[in-house]
Amino acid sequence: MLNIANISKTFNPGTVNEKKAITGLSLHLAPGDFVTIIGSNGAGKSTLFNAIAGSFLTDSGSIVLDGQDITFLPEFKRAKSIGRLFQDPMRGSAPGMSIEENLALAAGSGGWFSHMGQKDRMRFRDKLALLDMGLEDRMRQPVGLLSGGQRQALTLLMATMMPPKLLLLDEHTAALDPGTAEKVLKLTRDIVAEHHITTMMVTHNMKQALDLGSRTLMMAGGNIVLDVSGQERSGMTVDGLLRRFKAGTGKDLDNDRILLSE
């Protein structure tokens, strides 16, 4: 489904600010894989997502999605097959437009909004009702008036309105309060399972990384240092994950945000 072969990316090469963000990284995802990714700041998690999404071109290697080589494909063209959510709930939707207008854009039925039919509105209403946030009764309200949790849930709905081939979730619940974060995570599980979407999710919560999805990766120094799934993963504890990280890198994980997460 997703084949990443030996990609590398160095920012500001040849200067005092040179930074090797990804080095010789390879990864294969099968259709329907739900991969959680954990690692310290600077490990390369968001850089990997940016490389896949096409925010920049890699220096070397290749990226193939569902049989199509997208290595040199512009970001806007990759967006037709790749859905993405960010940590900031303010990204991913248009604040000055209404809820139904945002959904119409995501569904490809926007065009001139005067052409939005009753059938479209009923479809959007049914989708919004699944969020259990009362948004189905506020469809003409500007998105900018929503809370962070409501907006993130809406963005998730938008990103999967036309199920993508690949869904990238970059700490998409980190900025939410615990109750709202759990609701958005449940929605994520349900949508991914319903549409069998191949998914990659960055998280700072190690327990969450083991509980969600079907596979867990740990990154350090711009590469994948641990990849666990199946029986090995199902019986793994947070302490076991930390031991494996040390075995793979030769040092302890020292990120307080990760270590103190419940």
Side-chain angles (χ1 to χ4, degrees):
M1 175 11 133
L2 176 67
N3 284 288
I4 298 174
N6 201 34
I7 62 170
S8 295
K9 180 64 181 180
T10 299
F11 294 104
N12 305 309
T15 73
V16 294
N17 295 318
E18 180 174 302
K19 168 66 176 177
K20 293 183 178 180
I22 297 179
T23 54
L25 187 150
S26 295
L27 176 66
H28 170 74
L29 266 63
D33 271 355
F34 187 159
V35 177
T36 57
I37 305 171
I38 198 162
S40 300
N41 291 338
K45 307 180 301 297
S46 292
T47 305
L48 173 60
F49 275 19
N50 286 334
I52 295 170
S55 301
F56 53 74
L57 296 181
T58 56
D59 299 330
S60 59
S62 63
I63 304 172
V64 177
L65 179 63
D66 197 26
Q68 179 186 9
D69 190 336
I70 62 171
T71 309
F72 301 105
L73 202 66
E75 185 173 16
F76 76 92
K77 289 189 176 181
R78 299 191 202 193
K80 295 177 181 179
S81 301
I82 300 173
R84 188 173 184 183
L85 268 74
F86 300 87
Q87 180 175 333
D88 184 357
M90 302 300 110
R91 300 180 67 175
S93 56
M97 296 170 62
S98 70
I99 293 172
E100 68 177 16
E101 287 171 340
N102 272 269
L103 288 171
L105 284 176
S109 58
W112 295 100
F113 293 113
S114 59
H115 294 168
M116 194 190 312
Q118 187 61 26
K119 185 177 179 181
D120 291 321
R121 289 189 171 90
M122 289 303 296
R123 178 189 173 202
F124 299 156
R125 183 180 177 84
D126 290 343
K127 290 285 187 182
L128 287 167
L130 297 175
L131 303 182
D132 192 27
M133 292 181 172
L135 299 185
E136 66 273 17
D137 298 319
R138 301 163 60 186
M139 287 175 51
R140 298 198 175 181
Q141 182 175 356
V143 167
L145 297 180
L146 301 181
S147 69
Q150 290 170 332
R151 196 158 167 180
Q152 196 70 308
L154 175 64
T155 304
L156 176 61
L157 203 60
M158 291 171 61
T160 55
M161 181 69 71
M162 302 289 287
K165 293 179 180 178
L166 179 66
L167 180 62
L168 303 177
L169 305 172
D170 197 349
E171 294 200 74
H172 69 307
T173 64
L176 308 180
D177 66 83
T180 305
E182 187 55 41
K183 182 175 285 190
V184 172
L185 279 177
K186 181 182 183 304
L187 180 66
T188 301
R189 288 191 200 97
D190 292 346
I191 290 176
V192 167
E194 178 185 358
H195 299 291
H196 200 60
I197 303 172
T198 305
T199 302
M200 300 176 71
M201 186 183 87
V202 170
T203 177
H204 65 271
N205 188 308
M206 298 187 74
K207 186 175 186 306
Q208 193 178 88
L210 290 171
D211 290 344
L212 284 172
S214 56
R215 184 175 167 192
T216 296
L217 308 179
M218 291 193 79
M219 294 188 66
N223 218 316
I224 296 167
V225 296
L226 179 64
D227 183 349
V228 291
S229 59
Q231 262 324 99
E232 181 184 20
R233 180 178 183 264
S234 64
M236 185 166 283
T237 63
V238 170
D239 285 343
L241 196 57
L242 289 170
R243 286 194 296 271
R244 288 291 304 275
F245 178 86
K246 184 174 182 179
T249 63
K251 59 184 179 180
D252 292 317
L253 183 67
D254 59 0
N255 186 288
D256 289 342
R257 186 182 177 209
I258 295 174
L259 295 173
L260 296 177
S261 295
E262 295 182 359

